[in-house]
Amino acid sequence: MPATYENIATTTLGSNQASVTIFSSIPSTYTDLVLVGEFTSSTLIFGGVWLRFNGDSGTNYSITQVEGDGSSASSYRQSNSSRMEIGYNGVNGRQMLITNIMNYANTTTNKTSLSRYGNASNVTRASVGLWRSTSAITSITIGVDNQQIASGSIFTLYGIKAA
């Protein structure tokens, strides 16, 4: 059976950063993308963890989220945002992120994503995102509010090959 996922690039942060364009010049040779991130932190990350595509900071993003901590659950919706918020919590330690970006190279449809984010000892969040743009995604920026992404955090971008 052929491999479906192909590693496009891996980035390990060498210093703390509030935001970073972790992948640029993404080739358009795949059907979908999968972003996997492992955040490290020695301090609380308390604020939004977000994505932007192609450096777009206009109000072109929407999200719908559900989250739970083992004893309660909640939901959230945001429209016309300047970024796609995928996580928000106060966690001391590691957090994991997996985002599937569908049909990223298509230039006739808006882009959608499914994200899972969290830390098993705190909160887990699932979100559906929309970027209202028909541009092919060629770069991904990730950032956090009120804190920095810690040195040693690792992000890997995979391309899904056509069947």
Side-chain angles (χ1 to χ4, degrees):
M1 180 162 79
T4 304
Y5 283 44
E6 186 171 284
N7 185 326
I8 296 173
T10 298
T11 299
T12 302
L13 297 186
S15 62
N16 295 349
Q17 299 181 41
S19 70
V20 60
T21 300
I22 50 177
F23 303 104
S24 59
S25 303
I26 299 170
S28 61
T29 54
Y30 304 97
T31 59
D32 304 299
L33 299 173
V34 178
L35 171 62
V36 178
E38 179 182 357
F39 294 84
T40 61
S41 176
S42 58
T43 61
L44 289 178
I45 292 181
F46 191 76
V49 177
W50 49 264
L51 297 175
R52 282 191 178 129
F53 301 124
N54 298 357
D56 181 4
S57 60
T59 56
N60 300 312
Y61 302 90
S62 297
I63 56 103
T64 300
Q65 300 176 335
V66 294
E67 71 179 24
D69 62 9
S71 61
S72 65
S74 63
S75 64
Y76 174 74
R77 171 107 174 95
Q78 184 175 31
S79 298
N80 302 317
S81 178
S82 62
R83 73 242 179 119
M84 187 180 297
E85 187 176 298
I86 55 174
Y88 185 88
N89 56 28
V91 175
N92 189 4
R94 296 191 181 283
Q95 301 93 53
M96 296 299 300
L97 160 70
I98 300 173
T99 298
N100 296 74
I101 304 166
M102 284 67 72
N103 220 6
Y104 77 102
N106 186 316
T107 58
T108 60
T109 60
N110 292 333
K111 308 305 175 281
T112 57
S113 68
L114 297 172
S115 295
R116 287 151 328 271
Y117 176 88
N119 176 302
S121 65
N122 186 28
V123 66
T124 300
R125 173 178 280 180
S127 61
V128 176
L130 171 67
W131 180 41
R132 287 181 302 282
S133 174
T134 58
S135 298
I137 294 173
T138 58
S139 71
I140 300 172
T141 301
I142 191 164
V144 295
D145 293 332
N146 306 322
Q147 294 290 331
Q148 293 191 333
I149 303 169
S151 175
S153 296
I154 302 169
F155 302 95
T156 303
L157 185 66
Y158 296 94
I160 298 179
K161 298 178 184 178

